[in-house]
Structures are given as C-alpha cells and as structure tokens.
Amino acid sequence: MSFRSDIQGVYTHTNQQTTERSPVTVFFYFSHFEQSKGFDVVPKIIQPRRGFKDILQESMKQLSNVKSFATFTDAYDDIDNVNRRRMRDSLKEASDYTITVVMHREHSFAKHFLADLFAWTTLSVVPMAYSWDYIFTVDVSDRKGNKIKHYQRTAQLEQWTQALLIFFYPFNPPEVKIEEIYLESLKDIFKEIEADTVLKI
C-alpha cells in the first residue's frame, strides 16, 4: 500500500491580477534524478517516468502566453554526445526563456535494505514501511542566461509491504500516488510562474 504527503511549499496567494502579456517562446530543460542515500555518492540520471509528457501538457495549461516551446531531457550519456549538447544549447539561445526543471527522488539505502531483508526473513508477515522523497526544483532564466526566479516543491511517498496488503494494492498503487505528486507539483509551480508574470517581454 502507498500513501503520499501533501505538497510542501505550495503557492497560497489567491489575489492574482491578470495582465496582458506578449507571447513568448520557452525552452523546457528537464533532468530526472534518483539517489539512494548511503549507496549513491551523487544522484544518477534516470529516464522520465511513464506518462510524463501528459503531465507536462496538463501542467502547461497554467501558462497563458507561451507561443511556442521546445523540450530537452538529460540522458545519462549526454556527456559523450556532442551533438545533443549542441542542440540543447541552440534551443536555449533560440528561446525567450528557459525553464529548467529538476525532478529528484531519493531514499535511504539502509532503510530500504533492512525493510526488504526483514520482509524476506519474516515471509512478509510483519508490515514494513519505507519512503521516497520527491524534490522538484525549477529555475527560470532569460535568453542571456540570467536567473530570474527559483521555485521548489517537495513531497514524500510511503510504501508498506506485507503479504495481506496485496488485496489493498489495487486501491493504493504507488504509480497513482507518484503521478499525483508530479502533476500537483508542476501545476502549482507553473501557476506561481504565471502569477509572478515572469514570462514577459
């Protein structure tokens, strides 16, 4: 069974003044990281989660004046790929704004290892829990590379393992909770970007 926390750092202001803004071009630069604290010295680049494009498309409805946009997602072998790095840099230079989105999930390797070991030795009779922390960091920069705004949201996913909990799994799968965390975090950050009128010429 999986449970999630509320999103921390949500935008709470309600008095938003909508002003006319000229359409802008935006470059979305995504990085997805995972880290097992106590096992990984540095975060590791991973593939985007399933359905991330749909999450982005839904979140972008918060931004009212994006005329056109381009996306680029870091891959683990970009350090050896000159052409991809050139393409990334050219997309930055061609856009009015760059929105850098870093999605980082981390957990304690020791806690996960001990939970798995305990579940295995007890034949999953005793419930065991472990958690993942999700950190979403967004920076908005202009065409010259000057950082304009910084945003962050965090959340936690807790998973319980026990043999009898298998009957509750269809009602509390981690995939749904994780997608909720991603969608709510990005929508809230984009809503704040819109309220801050950051994307303007």
Side-chain angles (χ1 to χ4, degrees):
M1 294 180 62
S2 300
F3 304 92
R4 46 155 293 202
S5 70
D6 292 332
I7 306 299
Q8 302 300 310
V10 294
Y11 181 68
T12 56
H13 297 284
T14 55
N15 297 327
Q16 298 184 30
Q17 295 182 349
T18 56
T19 57
E20 287 293 328
R21 280 163 286 171
S22 301
V24 297
T25 57
V26 177
F27 171 51
F28 290 95
Y29 177 24
F30 299 108
S31 297
H32 300 258
F33 291 100
E34 183 176 297
Q35 185 175 13
S36 294
K37 292 292 189 68
F39 185 79
D40 295 322
V41 176
V42 296
K44 302 299 188 290
I45 296 175
I46 58 173
Q47 292 295 313
R49 67 164 284 101
R50 172 181 169 274
F52 180 72
K53 290 182 180 179
D54 297 317
I55 293 172
L56 173 62
Q57 185 174 6
E58 184 66 25
S59 301
M60 282 188 60
K61 293 178 181 178
Q62 304 297 319
L63 304 175
S64 63
N65 66 319
V66 176
K67 176 176 61 176
S68 63
F69 68 94
T71 66
F72 183 93
T73 302
D74 274 337
Y76 75 94
D77 58 349
D78 281 347
I79 193 170
D80 299 318
N81 195 323
V82 176
N83 290 333
R84 271 181 55 84
R85 295 202 309 272
R86 287 175 177 169
M87 179 179 68
R88 177 197 62 198
D89 294 341
S90 65
L91 290 171
K92 281 184 180 181
E93 294 169 0
S95 303
D96 296 319
Y97 293 94
T98 294
I99 297 180
T100 303
V101 184
V102 177
M103 288 147 285
H104 184 175
R105 74 178 211 143
E106 63 183 31
H107 72 136
S108 166
F109 171 75
K111 289 181 180 179
H112 274 218
F113 177 81
L114 293 174
D116 289 340
L117 178 63
F118 194 76
W120 181 77
T121 55
T122 62
L123 301 179
S124 296
V125 172
V126 179
M128 290 299 299
Y130 56 89
S131 61
W132 284 92
D133 293 318
Y134 289 82
I135 304 103
F136 297 81
T137 304
V138 174
D139 291 311
V140 183
S141 305
D142 61 19
R143 190 189 294 269
K144 296 180 180 179
N146 300 315
K147 187 183 294 185
I148 304 171
K149 279 284 187 176
H150 173 83
Y151 305 90
Q152 187 176 80
R153 303 290 186 271
T154 62
Q156 187 176 77
L157 179 77
E158 189 174 64
Q159 293 180 265
W160 284 83
T161 302
Q162 200 259 351
L164 295 178
L165 295 180
I166 188 64
F167 298 106
F168 296 93
Y169 172 80
F171 309 101
N172 292 276
E175 292 80 6
V176 171
K177 305 301 182 182
I178 295 171
E179 189 164 312
E180 288 176 355
I181 290 173
Y182 271 72
L183 180 60
E184 291 180 23
S185 296
L186 289 181
K187 282 184 67 175
D188 191 68
I189 291 174
F190 288 177
K191 181 175 73 174
E192 188 171 359
I193 291 175
E194 175 76 6
D196 289 345
T197 62
V198 176
L199 307 179
K200 62 181 180 180
I201 297 180

